[in-house]
């Protein structure tokens, strides 16, 4: 999507550090962290939110959790929260699906 900030980051039209990249996803630091560690797992496919997940997207959705788990392990986080805000009324501000990885550990 042309006007999507996360698509621009994924396409490297906006500079930003990738903590992880694979065929289906990238991981970036949240620009306005709400915890000591606050990362965002983004699918490369532009899916606006959980509401728009389509048949066949299960693999992508599951993959996001696996990426979060592997990265948390790599970073040595003792515990963490995974959060997805769904829709404007669910607190979602950026309409490109993302999984928050939040931890009081760094
Ligand atoms: P949401 O409320 O949509 O679940 O979360 C969007 C998150 O994206 C927020 O935590 C916000 O701080 C973060 N964010 C907004 N704009 C940018 C940006 O340009 N770059 C990065 N890395 N994070 C952003
Ligand atoms: Zn997008």
């Amino acid at each position: 999507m042309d006007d999507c900030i996360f698509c621009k980051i994924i396409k490297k039209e906006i500079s930003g550090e990738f903590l992880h990249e694979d065929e289906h996803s990238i991981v970036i630091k949240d620009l306005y962290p709400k915890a000591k560690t606050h990362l965002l797992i983004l699918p490369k496919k532009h899916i606006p939110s959980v509401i728009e997940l389509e048949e066949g997207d299960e693999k992508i959705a599951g993959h996001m959790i696996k990426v979060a788990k592997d990265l948390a392990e790599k970073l040595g986080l003792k515990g963490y929260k995974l959060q997805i805000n769904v829709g404007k009324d669910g607190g979602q501000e950026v309409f490109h699906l993302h999984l928050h990885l939040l931890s009081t550990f760094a």
Side-chain angles (χ1 to χ4, degrees):
M1 279 277 281
D2 290 349
D3 58 349
C4 171
I5 187 92
F6 285 174
C7 277
K8 284 183 180 158
I9 292 172
I10 290 161
K11 287 183 204 150
K12 300 194 166 113
E13 288 169 14
I14 295 174
S15 66
E17 186 194 352
F18 290 7
L19 279 80
H20 167 87
E21 179 173 15
D22 62 59
E23 195 187 343
H24 298 294
S25 71
I26 67 158
V27 180
I28 57 172
K29 288 183 182 168
D30 196 291
L31 198 57
Y32 309 102
K34 283 121 200 138
K36 216 167 188 177
T37 297
H38 189 172
L39 308 178
L40 302 172
I41 295 94
L42 322 178
K44 285 186 171 172
K45 180 181 176 185
H46 180 85
I47 302 166
S49 84
V50 163
I51 297 162
E52 285 84 12
L53 277 170
E54 296 169 342
E55 204 70 39
D57 286 338
E58 296 90 341
K59 202 174 163 192
I60 292 173
H63 180 70
M64 289 166 70
I65 296 177
K66 175 73 163 63
V67 167
K69 170 211 178 296
D70 288 347
L71 193 55
E73 232 165 72
K74 192 175 145 194
L75 296 173
L77 301 177
K78 281 205 283 183
Y80 52 93
K81 291 177 187 175
L82 297 178
Q83 183 176 326
I84 299 178
N85 298 325
V86 184
K88 197 167 168 279
D89 294 328
Q92 187 175 358
E93 288 172 3
V94 177
F95 286 83
H96 179 122
L97 182 64
H98 52 281
L99 177 65
H100 294 259
L101 191 166
L102 297 141
S103 181
T104 51
F105 302 98

